[in-house]
Amino acid sequence: ASVVQRLWRGRVSVGMLSPRLQRAMKDYMSANKHHVSYNGHRRSAQSAKELLCQMKDQARLSTVDGSEQPFSSLGWARLVPSLPLEQLHRKQGQSSYKTCAVVTSAGAILRSGLGKEIDMHDAVLRFNAAPTEGYERDVGNKTTFRIINSQILANPKHRFNTSSIYKNVTLVAWDPAPYTVNLHKWYASPDYNLFGPYVEHRKLHPDQPFYILHPSYVWRLWDVIQGNTQENIQPNPPSSGFIGILLMMALCEQVHVYEYIPSMRQTDLCHYHERYYDAACTLGAYHPLLYEKSLIQRINTGPEGDLRRKGRVTLPGFSTIDC
Ligand code: C5P
């Protein structure tokens, strides 16, 4: 069976990757840049329900709110949005979003014709610099949330301050701290410096909801992946895709994810909006992407036909499951 067929069944292992990707993975393991040391369990056969309950319990949504040092001394309690991310939808008079779509940037979404279906959701999450303009038929044009990694803020090529991609949406940024989550060390040396641009943006656009995920949230998500995988996963944070999926499970009653688990359109084209080919974008080298995807497939409640035709996974929101 091909890698994709195995993913559809949720059974994956490092041996399925090409020698090049296996080598890249090993290099990241020995570098262990974020000083990860995992001491938790490794459960082999949790049911989908148990897995969902573990995610709900262990991955409580949390953002930098200015209550901890060094951010408290820097006045961040007054800098961050006054409404917590979990309560944003209340402004629109809803108890939560009923239906949400997570649209990955995978090349396989090209020629899917999914745009209309995606736009029908109450909220749509997109990633990093992924555009909608020119790709509406396949990816839709509604954007409610955008998750951005720190490179988007730090690298001038993304024109974070001026590009329309980052306007009129709720922004959620993230950057990996050391695994032990020392906020002082993180503030002093983030992966890419997002703090300066964040402060500046908050001052210029105080009415735009813009949050930074708490680095402990990111690492607790990683713990859930390693805690349900027998093999050693890459000691690097989960991909933006996995972070976004779990974020939406915390905010929505039902979540549809598009082209995270690849459809039959699977391709090495990395992003739908760039002519760049690399299987690592879909299967992972830096991020533990293959294992993330296997976990998401284990909690998928949609039929295999949705996966094949639409690359679509259906997930319940945390508020709808009784643990
Ligand atoms: O590349 P970027 O991180 O901006 O893409 C957003 C997310 O979409 C990734 O973090 C990953 O989870 C998902 N993705 C994927 N396959 C691809 C490209 C992106 O699963 N080929």
Side-chain angles (χ1 to χ4, degrees):
S2 70
V3 182
V4 171
Q5 284 166 333
R6 291 191 207 207
L7 259 178
W8 290 347
R9 273 152 220 154
R11 302 175 65 92
V12 299
S13 120
V14 61
M16 295 162 36
L17 298 176
S18 69
R20 177 181 72 92
L21 291 187
Q22 290 191 38
R23 216 173 309 120
M25 196 174 149
K26 284 204 191 99
D27 290 344
Y28 286 120
M29 301 259 196
S30 40
N32 193 8
K33 178 174 177 193
H34 308 286
H35 309 287
V36 172
S37 87
Y38 181 72
N39 299 313
H41 292 282
R42 278 173 207 234
R43 291 172 233 262
S44 54
Q46 288 205 96
S47 68
K49 176 82 189 285
E50 288 166 329
L51 196 46
L52 279 165
C53 286
Q54 189 195 355
M55 287 173 171
K56 178 177 177 172
D57 178 59
Q58 214 170 303
R60 299 272 164 88
L61 184 53
S62 148
T63 57
V64 175
D65 62 4
S67 67
E68 296 165 282
Q69 291 295 3
F71 300 99
S72 38
S73 293
L74 294 162
W76 277 46
R78 273 168 287 106
L79 182 78
V80 302
S82 50
L83 202 58
L85 178 54
E86 313 84 272
Q87 287 172 31
L88 253 194
H89 48 261
R90 302 239 164 89
K91 227 167 57 177
Q92 285 106 330
Q94 294 171 290
S95 63
S96 64
Y97 295 112
K98 284 217 157 45
T99 62
C100 294
V102 173
V103 185
T104 75
S105 313
I109 206 163
L110 279 183
R111 286 178 285 283
S112 68
L114 286 165
K116 282 208 181 92
E117 173 177 325
I118 288 168
D119 283 345
M120 275 175 5
H121 293 80
D122 296 332
V124 178
L125 172 79
R126 301 183 194 274
F127 296 96
N128 295 317
T132 53
E133 208 186 315
Y135 301 93
E136 293 87 348
R137 248 195 108 253
D138 296 329
V139 307
N141 64 19
K142 175 173 180 168
T143 307
T144 319
F145 295 93
R146 195 173 277 277
I147 293 207
I148 51 179
N149 59 41
S150 45
Q151 294 175 55
I152 298 287
L153 291 148
N155 188 334
K157 86 166 181 195
H158 293 295
R159 303 194 299 120
F160 174 67
N161 286 320
T162 50
S163 166
S164 63
I165 282 188
Y166 309 106
K167 295 194 162 65
N168 301 313
V169 299
T170 294
L171 293 172
V172 181
W174 71 277
D175 179 86
Y179 182 72
T180 51
V181 190
N182 178 326
L183 297 181
H184 292 278
K185 281 194 184 151
W186 182 44
Y187 187 74
S189 64
D191 231 11
Y192 294 87
N193 199 337
L194 74 170
F195 300 116
Y198 178 77
V199 172
E200 192 185 334
H201 194 279
R202 285 296 304 151
K203 288 181 176 159
L204 280 173
H205 310 283
D207 294 332
Q208 180 174 18
F210 185 6
Y211 303 87
I212 297 181
L213 289 176
H214 199 290
S216 69
Y217 177 68
V218 173
W219 287 117
R220 295 302 73 80
L221 295 185
W222 185 91
D223 290 342
V224 172
I225 305 165
Q226 180 61 88
N228 286 282
T229 307
Q230 293 307 303
E231 296 177 2
N232 287 329
I233 72 169
Q234 292 93 321
N236 296 322
S239 73
S240 295
F242 189 79
I243 296 170
I245 292 166
L246 273 87
L247 172 69
M248 293 310 256
M249 289 173 78
L251 301 179
C252 309
E253 288 173 24
Q254 188 194 53
V255 180
H256 283 140
V257 185
Y258 293 92
E259 286 295 358
Y260 180 65
I261 312 234
S263 68
M264 62 194 183
R265 288 181 301 272
Q266 196 246 338
T267 162
D268 283 352
L269 181 65
C270 180
H271 293 133
Y272 64 82
H273 53 93
E274 274 177 340
R275 276 198 211 144
Y276 170 67
Y277 292 81
D278 186 349
C281 298
T282 305
L283 302 176
Y286 176 77
H287 297 294
L289 204 52
L290 192 62
Y291 303 109
E292 297 173 8
K293 292 184 181 196
S294 163
L295 219 55
I296 292 301
Q297 171 55 8
R298 282 170 58 188
I299 55 172
N300 178 18
T301 62
E304 188 171 312
D306 279 5
L307 269 186
R308 287 173 184 279
R309 283 180 288 113
K310 301 181 175 179
R312 186 176 93 168
V313 161
T314 305
L315 304 171
F318 291 138
S319 67
T320 69
I321 49 173
D322 269 319
C323 293

